[in-house]
Amino acid sequence: LCMKAVNQCVGRVIRHARDFAAILLVDARYCQTQAQQQGAVSGRRPCDKLPGWIRAAMGSESGPADFGKVMGRLHGFFRSHK
């Protein structure tokens, strides 16, 4: 994955300290290590290349069964940031 482009997109969403946004990385590869993507068992995950402040706020939802949980968290987030 081209994480430079992902980081640029994230930077366009949030411009100053009072901004808020939801950034959804909807691709199973963000949770996999590079080695797992290539069939091995170890290595770094693409999301490890994201800034620390984003990694610290990332949820651990990782599959279609978690979609409802993600939508609930988004609803709560935007409701509390009106």
Side-chain angles (χ1 to χ4, degrees):
L1 294 171
C2 181
M3 294 309 291
K4 181 178 179 181
V6 172
N7 280 320
Q8 287 174 337
C9 291
V10 168
R12 287 185 174 96
V13 172
I14 301 173
R15 289 296 191 184
H16 57 78
R18 294 181 50 167
D19 277 348
F20 59 91
I23 302 163
L24 303 177
L25 302 174
V26 186
D27 189 319
R29 294 176 292 179
Y30 289 108
C31 296
Q32 296 176 334
T33 64
Q34 188 174 21
Q36 286 171 326
Q37 291 174 27
Q38 297 169 355
V41 284
S42 64
R44 291 184 58 177
R45 299 175 306 158
C47 62
D48 291 339
K49 296 179 183 177
L50 292 169
W53 64 272
I54 294 174
R55 287 194 317 270
M58 286 180 71
S60 60
E61 292 79 9
S62 63
D66 293 321
F67 183 74
K69 187 189 312 183
V70 171
M71 294 308 293
R73 288 179 64 193
L74 280 173
H75 178 74
F77 173 83
F78 282 107
R79 185 178 41 195
S80 68
H81 287 82
K82 283 185 177 180

